[in-house]
Amino acid sequence: MSRPLLFTLLLIVLFAAGVWKVIDAGMQLPIKPKIEKVQPILQDQNVSKVAVPLTGISQALTQFKENIKHPLSLLLLQILVIIGASRIFSALLSMLGQQAVIGEIIAGIVLGPSVLKVFFPHFFHFIFPAESLNTLLFLSQIGLAFFMFIIGMDLDIDVIISKAGDALTVSIASILVPFFMGVGLAYYLYPSYGPEGVGFLAFSLFIGISVSITAFPVLARILQERGMTKTPIGSMAIMAAATNDLMAWCILAAVIAIAKAGGITGAIFTIILAVLFVVVMLLIVRPILQKISANQLKKAEPGKAVISISFFILLASAYTTELIGIHALFGAFMAGVIMPHNLDFRKSITEKIEDVSVLVLLPIFFAFTGLRTQMGLLDQGSTWVAFAFIMLVAVSGKFIGTAVSAKVVGQKWSNALTLGALMNTRGLMELIVLNIGYDLGILSPEVFAMMVLMAVATTFMTGPILNLVDWVNKRKAIITK
C-alpha cells in the first residue's frame, strides 16, 4: 500500500472518530428554547394627513415621488448603487494587488447596516427599505444559480478521477482537518452563540463546512494573474481546489439535509434522494445531452435548441434539488458538471451568461450579504476572542491539512506552504455556504458576522502570504549560493 493512500485512509478514520467524539459530547449540551418574537410593524409616523387637491406642478411632484417608491424603480436604483459601489471598491482593491471579488465583498458590507446605516441612516432606509429585501434575495439567488452553473462547467469529473493522484490526497486532507477543527470549535461556540431551537449537530456541521471550504474561482484567478497556471504546483492547486469544491458541495448537501431534518436519521431519505439525483444526472442525463449536442458541435457553435435545452436542464436541476431539500445551488452546480466539455460549447454558453452573472447579479448577492452582516454585534471583547479562535481554526486547519499532506505526497516545504496559502482562499464560496446556514437559522447573526469577516480576511491574506513564501525562497536561494 502506497504511503499517500495509507495516509489518506488513516486520516479518514481519525477524522470520523474525532468528529463523532465531539458531536457525541456536544449533543449533551442544552438547546436554547426558541422564543417567539413579535416583529413590530413599521408604520409612517405621520399618519394624519389631510387630502389636498393637487394641480399642476404639485401633482407632477407627487407623481414623481410615487414613481420613486415604485418597486421596479427602487430595484433599478438599488442595482445602480450596488454596481457602482462594487466597481469603485474593486478598482481600489485592484490597486492594492487584491482580487476584484474582495472589493465587491467589502462594497456589500459598506452598503449594509455595518457602515451605511450607521453614518447615513435615512439614505440607507431610502435605498434598502425592509420590504424590498426579498426581491434582492431572489434576484441574488438566480445570479448564484447561473454562477454555480459556470463553476460546474469548469470541473471535469473524468479528469479529476483519472489525473487527480496526489491532488486527491491533498484535497481530502484540506477538507477533513479544518472540518474536524471546526466541529471542535463549535463545541466552544455553541453555548454562547448557538441560535435558539437549533441543536448542536446542525450547528457543528455548518461550522465545520464553513471553515473547510475553498473558493475554486478565486484561486484559479490568482494563479492566472501570477502566471502559475501551467506550473506543476499551479496544476496541483487547480486539481486539489476543483476536487475540494466537488467534495465540499456533496458534504454541504448532506449537512443541509441533516439540518432540515433535525438529525441523521431523519435526513437519510433526503440523502438517498440526493445520491439518486447525482446518479441520474451523471449516468442518464449527461449521455443524453452529449448525444443531442454532438451533431451540432461538429458543424458549428451550439444552436439555440441546444442552448435552450442546457438552460432548461439548469433550471430543472435547481428546482429538483430545492424540492429534495438540498438547495437549488447544488442542482445548478451539477447541471454545469454534466454539460459537454467541448470548448466551443463551453465558450458559447459561458459568453451568454458569465458577464451578466458576474458583473450584475453577483454584486447583488454581495450587497445582500452585507445587508445581513451586522459588524456592530461584535461590540464586546468576548466576541472578538471568539473571532480570533475562528480565524485560528480556519487558517491553521487549511495550512496544516494542506501542507502536511502535500509533504506526504513528496512536495517540498516551499511548495507545500504555497498550496496551503492557495487553499486558504475562501471568498465567494464561503459566503454562499454562510448565507445558506443563515437562511436555515443555524448561524446566529453574531456567528454570521464573524464568519463573513473571516472570509474577507482569509481571502485578503492569500496574496501577501504567497509573496512572503516567494521572498523566503529567494532568500534561501541567495544564501545557498
Side-chain angles (χ1 to χ4, degrees), residues 412-429:
K412 298 185 298 182
W413 274 117
S414 58
N415 288 344
L417 293 174
T418 299
L419 276 172
L422 289 168
M423 297 297 285
N424 190 48
T425 303
R426 287 175 173 85
L428 172 64
M429 309 306 290

Side-chain angles (χ1 to χ4, degrees), residues 59-79:
Q59 188 173 8
L61 290 175
T62 301
Q63 184 64 44
F64 180 73
K65 291 178 181 179
E66 292 178 357
N67 291 342
I68 290 178
K69 295 181 180 180
H70 190 276
L72 180 58
S73 299
L74 184 60
L75 177 61
L76 293 174
L77 178 61
Q78 289 171 340
I79 294 175

Side-chain angles (χ1 to χ4, degrees), residues 313-335:
I313 292 175
L314 160 62
L315 297 175
S317 178
Y319 178 68
T320 301
T321 52
E322 186 68 23
L323 289 181
I324 291 174
I326 55 174
H327 210 281
L329 296 181
F330 182 77
F333 176 76
M334 281 303 304

Side-chain angles (χ1 to χ4, degrees), residues 201-244:
L201 177 61
F203 182 79
S204 63
L205 292 178
F206 250 93
I207 295 296
I209 196 67
S210 297
V211 298
S212 58
I213 202 80
T214 293
F216 171 68
V218 180
L219 182 145
R221 208 178 303 176
I222 291 174
L223 290 175
Q224 186 179 30
E225 291 182 358
R226 289 176 171 265
M228 298 173 60
T229 306
K230 302 299 182 181
T231 63
I233 192 66
S235 299
M236 175 174 281
I238 285 287
M239 193 63 67
T243 310
N244 186 292

Side-chain angles (χ1 to χ4, degrees), residues 4-54:
L5 180 58
L6 180 63
F7 172 78
T8 303
L9 293 176
L10 179 63
L11 183 64
I12 292 174
V13 172
L14 292 176
F15 159 79
V19 169
W20 174 256
K21 187 67 177 177
V22 176
I23 289 178
D24 184 55
M27 295 290 282
Q28 309 304 318
L29 296 173
I31 300 176
K32 296 177 183 177
K34 193 169 185 179
I35 303 174
E36 296 295 333
K37 298 178 181 179
V38 179
Q39 297 293 335
I41 300 175
L42 299 178
Q43 296 180 340
D44 192 343
Q45 299 298 322
N46 187 15
V47 294
S48 57
K49 295 183 179 179
V50 180
V52 178
L54 299 175

Side-chain angles (χ1 to χ4, degrees), residues 172-439:
I172 291 175
S174 71
I175 284 184
L176 297 189
V177 173
F179 192 100
F180 169 69
M181 295 177 68
V183 171
L185 174 67
Y187 187 81
Y188 158 73
L189 294 175
Y190 182 74
S192 300
Y193 301 103
E196 299 169 355
V198 175
F200 176 78
L201 177 61
F203 182 79
S204 63
L205 292 178
F206 250 93
I207 295 296
I209 196 67
S210 297
V211 298
S212 58
I213 202 80
T214 293
F216 171 68
V218 180
L219 182 145
R221 208 178 303 176
I222 291 174
L223 290 175
Q224 186 179 30
E225 291 182 358
R226 289 176 171 265
M228 298 173 60
T229 306
K230 302 299 182 181
T231 63
I233 192 66
S235 299
M236 175 174 281
I238 285 287
M239 193 63 67
T243 310
N244 186 292
D245 250 20
L246 186 61
M247 290 191 296
W249 276 98
C250 292
I251 295 173
L252 179 62
V255 170
I256 293 173
I258 293 172
K260 286 187 174 182
I264 297 177
T265 305
I268 291 178
F269 181 67
T270 301
I271 294 174
I272 291 174
L273 288 179
V275 172
L276 181 62
F277 164 78
V278 173
V279 171
V280 170
M281 291 290 282
L282 292 176
L283 300 184
I284 298 178
V285 180
R286 186 186 186 193
I288 292 176
L289 183 61
Q290 289 175 336
K291 289 181 180 179
I292 292 176
S293 61
N295 293 332
Q296 294 197 39
L297 291 175
K298 291 178 182 178
K299 299 175 183 178
E301 292 186 355
K304 291 183 178 180
V306 176
I307 293 176
S308 63
I309 291 174
S310 301
F311 279 102
F312 179 83
I313 292 175
L314 160 62
L315 297 175
S317 178
Y319 178 68
T320 301
T321 52
E322 186 68 23
L323 289 181
I324 291 174
I326 55 174
H327 210 281
L329 296 181
F330 182 77
F333 176 76
M334 281 303 304
V337 169
I338 68 167
M339 287 295 119
H341 284 275
N342 179 283
L343 292 178
D344 290 335
F345 179 90
R346 291 168 58 184
K347 181 180 178 182
S348 179
I349 295 288
T350 301
E351 285 179 347
K352 287 176 170 57
I353 63 177
E354 186 172 31
D355 288 343
V356 174
S357 174
V358 173
L359 298 179
V360 178
L361 298 179
L362 275 186
I364 294 175
F365 169 74
F366 292 133
F368 186 78
T369 302
L371 289 173
R372 55 179 21 174
T373 302
Q374 305 175 56
M375 293 301 176
L377 295 175
L378 310 183
D379 57 351
Q380 298 179 358
S382 59
T383 55
W384 286 106
V385 170
F387 171 71
F389 276 111
I390 290 174
M391 282 294 297
L392 178 63
V393 168
V395 176
S396 62
K398 275 294 181 183
F399 265 94
I400 293 172
T402 304
V404 173
S405 59
K407 186 63 179 175
V408 168
V409 300
Q411 293 291 328
K412 298 185 298 182
W413 274 117
S414 58
N415 288 344
L417 293 174
T418 299
L419 276 172
L422 289 168
M423 297 297 285
N424 190 48
T425 303
R426 287 175 173 85
L428 172 64
M429 309 306 290
E430 173 75 8
L431 296 186
I432 293 174
V433 172
L434 295 180
N435 276 275
I436 291 174
Y438 191 86
D439 289 334

Side-chain angles (χ1 to χ4, degrees), residues 91-156:
L92 292 175
L93 268 295
S94 297
M95 294 178 184
L96 299 176
Q98 292 291 336
Q99 297 295 310
V101 67
I102 301 179
E104 293 173 347
I105 295 174
I106 294 176
I109 295 174
V110 169
L111 290 176
S114 301
V115 179
L116 186 62
K117 185 178 179 181
V118 173
F119 296 101
F120 305 99
H122 296 293
F123 183 69
F124 173 82
H125 288 295
F126 172 72
I127 298 293
F128 301 108
E131 62 272 13
S132 71
L133 297 186
N134 279 338
T135 304
L136 279 180
L137 169 62
F138 293 133
L139 195 57
S140 68
Q141 293 297 311
I142 295 296
L144 281 179
F146 282 111
F147 183 77
M148 292 307 302
F149 179 69
I150 297 173
I151 297 301
M153 285 201 298
D154 285 337
L155 299 182
D156 191 333

